[in-house]
Amino acid sequence: MVKANPSGPSGAAGKAREKFTFGLWTVGNIGRDPFGGPVREVISPVEIVKLLAEVGAYGVNMHDNDLVPIDASPAKQKQIVDDFKKALSDTGLVVPMATTNLFSDPVFKDGAFTSGDSQVRAYALQKTMRAMDLGAELGAKIYVFWGGREGAETDAGKDPVDGIKRFREAINFLCQYSMQNNYNYRFALEAKPNEPRGHIYLATTGNYLAFIETLDYPEMVGVNPEVAHETMAGLNFVHHVAQAIEAGKLFHIDLNDQESGRYDQDYRFGAANIKQAFYLVKLLVDHGYDGPLHFDAHAYRTEDYEGVKDFARGCIRNYQLLKKKVARFNKDAEIQQLIKRINPADEKLDALAGNFSENAVRQLKSMKFDRKAIGARGIPYERLDQLAMEIIMGER
Ligand code: DIG
Ligand code: MN
Ligand code: MN
């Protein structure tokens, strides 16, 4: 039996904690993989809430069926939800985000919103509306869509253009459902390039950022980037998050870690690529991201539940340690001096380049640039990156 966290999510002396959250499916992961069965017994949502309170989490998220089995009767659903609400009030944990499982049940084997079968698409809408009702009942204000089955192994049977249209139709419909019920959800679309489908539509955060602009209610919809997903495709996750921040669309974030070019490992945050984790925390801190920090990750298959708690504590601790390193980096005089050298600013030139005018054209076209001298200038990235590494390694 795990003990509840006496101080609740506000922590000792009521100091506001970062909004560290975990999905029920993360610390509740029983260790199945394609080559082996479960290694841990199933624990209930109530026990998961208490485990998360014990390790210092702020909140807990869920897919509909993480909490309520897909075939539960209304009476059973009520019992489960009442018990869950009591655990939340006992521990002080909150539910910032909810989502729908549109990927486990065989009915979704060829997609949910993008299935070729009208019945499946309609059922996916029904299931999502019910899950949105449940999430709203628990106080969730962010609704995540991860299209785990929205894709194909072969393009022989479905036109990928139809996939995009069908996904848009569903999101437009559900935006209106949220408005009709005053749920005030912010929708967060989560990309992944492949797995479990051979190819998943809208494979990266960038795809979703373009897609959002084609929706009927784009202001309601943002993204939920996950570290492992761009990383497994060999892309720079931090730059994808930067584009989301710049577009005002970082509504949520899934933190974990991943070695490039492998299956979705969903490792403990910071466990694989500490440098990327450092620059991610720096980006979030520098741009004042204050949304949930959701660890969509799970413990190694080797672990028992004490190990699962170590995993969860490690996610939180690595984020907090890296946040301290970011503060050191931002305060370090030599580092800031080098950054200034790397970004020599000229306000006059920037003004010309930033505001088109005939005068700007004339001046820029007639200006003399000493291309050779500029090209010969050394740019001290080696020194700067070494100093950053020494901060990350605790030597500075
Ligand atoms: C996988 O990374 C997906 C599912 O776990 C879930 O639908 C979503 C919520 O964060 N992430
Ligand atoms: Mn993942
Ligand atoms: Mn995720």
Side-chain angles (χ1 to χ4, degrees):
M1 191 59 170
V2 286
K3 53 186 185 314
N5 173 13
S7 59
S10 59
K15 198 164 67 63
R17 279 177 188 268
E18 256 117 357
K19 298 173 190 157
F20 295 124
T21 63
F22 293 81
L24 285 174
W25 70 92
T26 65
V27 291
N29 180 301
I30 56 177
R32 261 197 215 95
D33 69 24
F35 303 99
V39 294
R40 293 182 285 269
E41 79 277 7
V42 175
I43 56 173
S44 72
V46 168
E47 284 174 301
I48 291 173
V49 167
K50 288 178 181 161
L51 184 156
L52 290 176
E54 186 183 337
V55 300
Y58 161 82
V60 58
N61 306 316
M62 88 271 318
H63 301 84
D64 46 353
N65 301 141
D66 299 332
L67 184 62
V68 179
I70 195 165
D71 51 7
S73 68
K76 183 70 183 149
Q77 166 154 343
K78 184 173 179 334
Q79 183 58 58
I80 291 169
V81 172
D82 288 348
D83 293 347
F84 188 66
K85 282 178 178 175
K86 183 170 181 321
L88 294 172
S89 66
D90 291 349
T91 57
L93 262 70
V94 292
V95 178
M97 180 270 270
T99 183
T100 326
N101 187 322
L102 295 175
F103 47 86
S104 296
D105 192 276
V107 73
F108 299 124
K109 61 193 174 192
D110 188 25
F113 299 137
T114 67
S115 165
D117 184 335
S118 304
Q119 276 198 89
V120 173
R121 296 199 297 273
Y123 172 58
L125 277 180
Q126 177 194 83
K127 192 170 194 287
T128 303
M129 286 189 279
R130 288 177 176 165
M132 287 169 67
D133 298 341
L134 175 62
E137 184 183 346
L138 294 166
K141 287 291 171 224
I142 298 163
Y143 206 82
V144 163
F145 292 81
W146 170 61
R149 298 285 178 192
E150 313 295 8
E153 283 69 45
T154 164
D155 286 327
K158 292 188 293 184
D159 179 341
V161 171
D162 290 340
I164 308 291
K165 290 185 188 315
R166 289 168 176 163
F167 198 86
R168 177 183 304 116
E169 206 173 75
I171 298 297
N172 285 338
F173 187 101
L174 295 164
C175 278
Q176 294 182 80
Y177 183 73
S178 177
M179 287 187 278
Q180 179 199 57
N181 291 277
N182 300 314
Y183 287 158
N184 297 315
Y185 273 129
R186 297 210 301 171
F187 285 2
L189 308 181
E190 178 176 343
K192 188 173 173 184
N194 51 44
E195 194 195 274
R197 293 306 298 263
H199 309 276
I200 298 184
Y201 297 141
L202 296 159
T204 71
T205 299
N207 291 102
Y208 271 129
L209 289 170
F211 173 75
I212 287 167
E213 297 314 311
T214 71
L215 294 171
D216 292 350
Y217 307 94
E219 68 289 350
M220 288 178 64
V221 187
V223 289
N224 174 43
E226 176 169 320
V227 175
H229 298 175
E230 263 82 23
T231 305
M232 65 197 274
L235 299 171
N236 183 309
F237 179 71
V238 176
H239 295 177
H240 276 77
V241 177
Q243 187 178 357
I245 288 173
E246 203 277 336
K249 290 292 183 185
L250 187 67
F251 285 11
H252 193 262
I253 192 163
D254 277 3
L255 301 173
N256 54 23
D257 215 345
Q258 173 76 31
E259 285 153 315
S260 187
R262 287 171 173 74
Y263 67 90
D264 188 6
Q265 293 170 316
D266 291 339
Y267 281 158
R268 180 177 84 255
F269 179 65
N273 185 338
I274 196 70
K275 201 172 176 182
Q276 171 176 272
F278 170 79
Y279 287 114
L280 175 60
V281 173
K282 178 165 165 44
L283 189 77
L284 295 175
V285 167
D286 289 353
H287 292 274
Y289 172 76
D290 66 354
L293 296 164
H294 174 224
F295 297 113
D296 186 0
H298 54 77
Y300 300 140
R301 191 164 180 266
T302 48
E303 307 305 301
D304 60 15
Y305 275 103
E306 284 312 305
V308 169
K309 286 186 229 171
D310 291 336
F311 148 79
R313 289 190 189 99
C315 286
I316 291 173
R317 182 140 171 74
N318 285 345
Y319 191 94
Q320 291 172 328
L321 289 173
L322 286 170
K323 206 175 161 188
K324 284 187 188 147
K325 306 276 180 198
V326 167
R328 296 182 67 80
F329 180 98
N330 287 344
K331 275 204 302 275
D332 188 296
E334 186 182 355
I335 283 178
Q336 295 310 316
Q337 194 48 41
L338 287 166
I339 292 174
K340 274 211 177 70
R341 262 185 65 195
I342 287 169
N343 298 274
D346 178 319
E347 276 165 26
K348 202 167 142 295
L349 282 180
D350 291 345
L352 283 178
N355 306 286
F356 182 85
S357 69
E358 285 192 16
N359 170 47
V361 169
R362 205 175 26 260
Q363 290 203 50
L364 287 170
K365 287 191 81 173
S366 61
M367 207 165 270
K368 294 267 174 288
F369 293 98
D370 184 346
R371 181 173 46 80
K372 287 202 169 51
I374 298 169
R377 208 165 47 90
I379 305 178
Y381 276 110
E382 281 292 349
R383 176 74 185 142
L384 177 59
D385 187 69
Q386 179 59 27
L387 293 181
M389 292 295 296
E390 288 179 14
I391 285 192
I392 293 168
M393 290 190 276
E395 284 306 302
R396 193 176 171 89

